[in-house]
Amino acid sequence: MIQENIMEIKERIKQAALRSGRLPEDILLLAVTKTIDTDRIQEAVEAGLTSLGENKVQEILDKYETMGENVKWHLIGHLQTNKVKYIIDKVELIHSVESLKLAEEIEKRAAAKNIIMPILVEVNIAQEDSKFGLHPSEVETFIRNISTMQHICVKGLMTVAPYVENPEENRYYFRQLRELLVDINEKKIDNVHMDILSMGMTGDYEVAIEEGATIVRVGTGIFGERFYPEKLNK
Ligand SMILES: *Cc1c(COP(=O)(O)O)cnc(C)c1O
């Protein structure tokens, strides 16, 4: 099942890339493994997906040893400042940086480990009250502020688009995120050249790719519906 799902998603990624004149290999399919046990994650790894996304620090820590050296973890969810220390040397990319306080803590912990931490800035592109992320108008100043931190490298932008039935409704937002990235790159801020756009999930990754996504974060499409403990109790 998992293997077939992945094959189908890869084919759709390829088609969306070709439709928009892009190379399929320029798009990373990040397998979102929240609530998924390591046996099932292993199936995805065997099908070729070695980059895994989690939205909670604790889930990365729980699965880290079992999944071993051959996978790369991405933190995609809200990160509390007091938890940075647990994952700083365990993740490949932090997608969800959206406050100066958090950036300062990442800088401090990365410096202590003598590493440079690649990060994305999370943007609340549709300006929804329920979502994390910076208002689009705040992003440039924020990036200017963190660009001087020596142990952080700003690689791009990330957004969690609105939940919609019709993915076309998010096309405008994906395009806006890409335009924001292009605009900020044109400012030629020292140490900042962004080339990652993390946008698009199960419901809308093809539209996101057409609008320039370089990382799509797909959970349900690979593993099926997630079961949370609350749901099981009902
Ligand atoms: C859960 C999650 C996803 C994946 O969502 P699906 O709709 O299951 O593909 C992507 N990004 C973030 C930040 C998530 O928390």
Side-chain angles (χ1 to χ4, degrees):
M1 227 343 226
I2 290 174
Q3 198 180 348
E4 276 112 75
N5 290 345
I6 291 172
M7 274 166 60
E8 186 187 327
I9 294 165
K10 281 191 170 167
E11 180 58 27
R12 284 169 178 257
I13 289 174
K14 184 174 156 196
Q15 294 307 328
L18 297 178
R19 272 199 300 282
S20 45
R22 305 183 54 207
L23 296 172
E25 51 271 31
D26 289 346
I27 296 143
L28 174 68
L29 172 55
L30 184 69
V32 176
T33 52
K34 63 190 185 209
T35 77
I36 308 300
D37 62 52
T38 50
D39 285 346
R40 291 169 75 218
I41 300 173
Q42 195 58 44
E43 283 186 54
V45 173
E46 277 157 24
L49 300 190
T50 52
S51 292
L52 312 176
E54 286 284 350
N55 66 346
K56 293 202 176 112
V57 166
Q58 190 58 50
E59 279 202 66
I60 295 182
L61 298 177
D62 288 346
K63 296 168 183 175
Y64 191 79
E65 293 276 310
T66 312
M67 294 312 299
E69 299 273 294
N70 297 327
V71 303
K72 299 199 185 322
W73 293 100
H74 290 221
L75 189 81
I76 61 174
H78 183 61
L79 176 56
Q80 285 172 281
T81 308
N82 62 356
K83 295 196 172 152
V84 171
K85 56 180 178 286
Y86 301 120
I87 48 108
I88 191 72
D89 54 354
K90 293 190 172 61
V91 296
E92 180 90 349
L93 182 64
I94 300 174
H95 291 229
S96 45
V97 177
E98 45 124 39
S99 78
L100 214 47
K101 193 169 136 248
L102 176 59
E104 280 162 356
E105 178 67 11
I106 294 170
E107 167 66 18
K108 180 176 134 194
R109 298 291 173 180
K113 297 269 183 191
N114 201 21
I115 56 175
I116 296 174
M117 190 67 227
I119 63 118
L120 305 179
V121 174
E122 182 168 356
V123 184
N124 185 358
I125 198 73
Q127 299 164 44
E128 294 173 280
D129 291 338
S130 59
K131 294 261 165 80
F132 290 108
L134 293 173
H135 188 281
S137 67
E138 301 170 325
V139 176
E140 184 189 331
T141 305
F142 180 71
I143 289 177
R144 283 187 191 280
N145 285 333
I146 63 175
S147 67
T148 56
M149 296 180 181
Q150 296 192 351
H151 301 86
I152 285 184
C153 181
V154 182
K155 292 281 191 190
L157 304 178
M158 177 272 210
T159 199
V160 180
Y163 181 77
V164 289
E165 292 290 334
N166 176 2
E168 284 298 329
E169 290 172 42
N170 279 337
R171 184 180 295 279
Y172 170 78
Y173 293 124
F174 295 141
R175 188 170 298 172
Q176 292 234 306
L177 194 71
R178 175 159 189 279
E179 285 172 0
L180 186 61
L181 179 140
V182 170
D183 284 350
I184 294 174
N185 276 341
E186 281 174 356
K187 307 275 160 99
K188 305 215 180 300
I189 302 167
D190 278 349
N191 302 318
V192 178
H193 181 79
M194 300 189 288
D195 55 12
I196 297 180
L197 270 176
S198 169
M199 58 187 193
M201 316 194 337
T202 296
D204 55 17
Y205 66 89
E206 291 162 278
V207 174
I209 289 167
E210 289 169 5
E211 296 301 330
T214 65
I215 301 180
V216 291
R217 309 179 307 265
V218 180
T220 317
I222 296 171
F223 299 105
E225 201 197 331
R226 282 181 289 274
F227 292 96
Y228 293 92
E230 302 88 66
K231 271 195 192 168
L232 291 174
N233 291 337
K234 271 187 197 147

